Amino acid sequence: MFKNTPFEAIAKTMSESAPKFNATSMQDAIKPVQENLQAWADLAQNQAKEVQAAIAETVTAIKDIKDPQAAFEIMKASSEAGMAMFAKNLKEATSLSVGQFHSTVDAVEKAHPAPAAFAPVAKNLKSAASTAENTLDSVMEKGAAAVASVASASKAKKAR
């Protein structure tokens, strides 16, 4: 006889559900999770390759330099490229996250007992995620513009 404890409730649910288990439906249910994980793995791998290439390029460029000013300029260019790469990587990760969030909300809406009742909630959730993504993009663009204006002002002062 099952008691009302969490472990026994889980055991009861599992024993009642075991005959209904279907390996194909289980694989279908897990497939979106596997695809999401693969998308993150691919993104991380591509971004790591880009970082490695940028570091190798910087090391190669600075390897034989004797002039400290030239070394400084290479390091400065490398830092600027690194910041641009960081911004691009963050944008890609955010885009992937929001896309996966939208897919999850769509799946919840589809599986919801009353999809029509859940539809406005789903729409608001997806809108909020898209707004967050757009806000991040805007902040990144404003930050890049601010850095560029400071760099331009600095170059103008040196030219005088």
Side-chain angles (χ1 to χ4, degrees), residues 47 50-51 54 78-94 136 140:
Q47 290 180 349
E50 289 176 3
V51 169
S78 175
S79 296
E80 290 170 355
M83 290 304 296
M85 189 181 311
F86 171 77
K88 178 181 131 323
N89 290 350
L90 181 59
K91 188 172 183 167
E92 289 173 351
T94 303
L136 178 63
M140 297 282 290

Side-chain angles (χ1 to χ4, degrees), residues 7-43:
F7 176 75
E8 290 177 341
I10 292 168
K12 179 181 179 195
T13 301
M14 289 174 66
S15 66
E16 290 173 353
S17 300
K20 301 174 193 172
F21 178 76
N22 178 341
T24 304
S25 64
M26 182 61 111
Q27 287 175 340
D28 290 343
I30 291 176
K31 188 174 182 178
V33 174
Q34 292 172 324
E35 290 171 352
N36 286 348
L37 290 173
Q38 185 63 51
W40 279 104
D42 292 346
L43 179 65

